[in-house]
Amino acid sequence: MVYKGILYFIIMLISFSIHAQTIDKFNIQDSLDLKTNKQLHFKVKQLIIPSVLIGYGIIGIGNDQLESFNSQIREEVREDIDKKFTIDDFSQYVPLASVYALDAFGIKGKNNFRDKTIILATSYLIMGIAVNSFKHTFKVERPDGSSMNSFPSGHTATAFMGAELLYQEYKDTSIWYGISGYLVAAGTGAFRMYNNKHWLTDVVAGAGIGILSTKAAYWLYPTVNNLLSSKKNNTNKKTVFIPYYDGKQVGFGLVSAF
């Protein structure tokens, strides 16, 4: 069945992404060593997987063959639908929540609460800007005809952003944490298609945006941290990033206390 093929296709991409990062002999540079204040080194090859995913989604918008494949998948999915399952509204946050849940249970990740929260907030900001910019630029109609903001999938982007964060934080503890996060993210994307809310190209591009957003947040962390920890700032000043999602838009708030 075409629908089963979708799941295999997505899982294959996720597995390839994890494998590609695992075999990188310099993968220790993928995240920060905060204890030694090491600067994160940008590597072009880290862009390959998310770029391929995002590129596939963008090319699919104007490609007759890929659009035909989108329609074929949609028709196959619609034949099997008895009722909708809104689990994707919640599963998108599971990988993110797992990062803090594991820490709460005493399983420490690579970074402390403050540092990974800053990374998360930066990821949310990048992902939110990218997703909403693409939605307003391409104006792709959803499969169910409900709106013109189908591309890319924000739910999928959120899920994969969290999955990449989970992977980066806990890959040295156990790679299975990251794999589990990616499987949940893939399931979120599959349910977006099952619920007739997104095309395959939307989901694939959303996955790429989510992964890239978290990678970029780790690359930018030294700069962001320096800004927050600047000696010019009042030593009693505290700054907290608060990400939000209102059902339509993703963003973050900045709260400062003196």
Side-chain angles (χ1 to χ4, degrees):
M1 293 175 62
V2 176
Y3 181 56
K4 290 183 178 179
I6 301 172
L7 296 179
Y8 295 143
F9 176 66
I10 294 176
I11 293 174
M12 178 187 69
L13 289 176
I14 304 315
S15 300
F16 178 59
S17 176
I18 295 175
H19 180 66
Q21 296 179 73
T22 302
I23 64 175
D24 184 356
K25 64 180 179 180
F26 298 111
N27 65 356
I28 192 172
Q29 295 179 352
D30 285 349
S31 55
L32 293 175
D33 183 351
L34 299 179
K35 293 181 179 179
T36 60
N37 197 29
K38 182 186 296 183
Q39 293 296 312
L40 186 65
H41 295 284
F42 169 79
K43 293 178 293 186
V44 175
K45 62 183 177 181
Q46 293 176 353
L47 297 174
I48 295 176
I49 297 299
S51 295
V52 168
L53 298 177
I54 297 171
Y56 175 86
I58 294 176
I59 293 173
I61 295 176
N63 185 284
D64 292 339
Q65 184 175 357
L66 293 181
E67 286 185 345
S68 176
F69 186 50
N70 273 344
S71 298
Q72 183 182 2
I73 291 171
R74 179 200 177 200
E75 292 304 317
E76 184 68 32
V77 171
R78 290 181 66 188
E79 290 179 3
D80 296 335
I81 289 181
D82 293 322
K83 62 179 180 179
K84 292 184 177 182
F85 296 95
T86 58
I87 188 174
D88 44 296
D89 288 335
F90 305 97
S91 64
Q92 61 175 320
Y93 299 114
V94 170
L96 280 177
S98 298
V99 174
Y100 291 94
L102 288 171
D103 190 58
F105 282 107
I107 305 175
K108 300 301 180 182
K110 190 178 297 292
N111 299 314
N112 60 35
F113 181 88
R114 172 190 178 275
D115 296 324
K116 63 190 173 189
T117 300
I118 292 174
I119 293 170
L120 168 59
T122 305
S123 301
Y124 244 113
L125 176 62
I126 296 171
M127 186 269 292
I129 292 175
V131 167
N132 285 289
S133 295
F134 281 11
K135 284 181 179 294
H136 285 90
T137 299
F138 293 102
K139 299 184 184 300
V140 177
E141 185 177 16
R142 290 183 184 272
D144 63 0
S146 60
S147 63
M148 297 293 294
N149 61 351
S150 186
F151 180 86
S153 169
H155 283 64
T156 307
T158 299
F160 276 86
M161 180 191 70
E164 177 67 13
L165 181 65
L166 183 63
Y167 171 76
Q168 292 293 339
E169 287 296 316
Y170 288 96
K171 65 182 179 181
D172 294 333
T173 302
S174 174
I175 194 173
W176 290 105
Y177 291 124
I179 292 176
S180 298
Y182 272 112
L183 290 176
V184 171
T188 299
F191 269 105
R192 294 307 286 168
M193 291 185 288
Y194 179 85
N195 289 328
N196 206 28
K197 288 295 184 181
H198 284 289
W199 308 100
L200 175 62
T201 45
D202 303 336
V203 170
V204 173
I209 290 172
I211 294 171
L212 183 58
S213 296
T214 297
K215 286 185 176 296
Y218 277 96
W219 296 330
L220 292 171
Y221 175 81
T223 300
V224 176
N225 187 50
N226 286 338
L227 289 174
L228 296 177
S229 305
S230 174
K231 294 181 179 180
K232 295 180 181 180
N233 292 339
N234 189 314
T235 56
N236 294 322
K237 180 180 178 181
K238 296 182 179 180
T239 304
V240 179
F241 288 91
I242 305 177
Y244 73 87
Y245 180 75
D246 62 6
K248 294 182 179 180
Q249 294 184 331
V250 177
F252 80 103
L254 178 63
V255 178
S256 296
F258 296 85

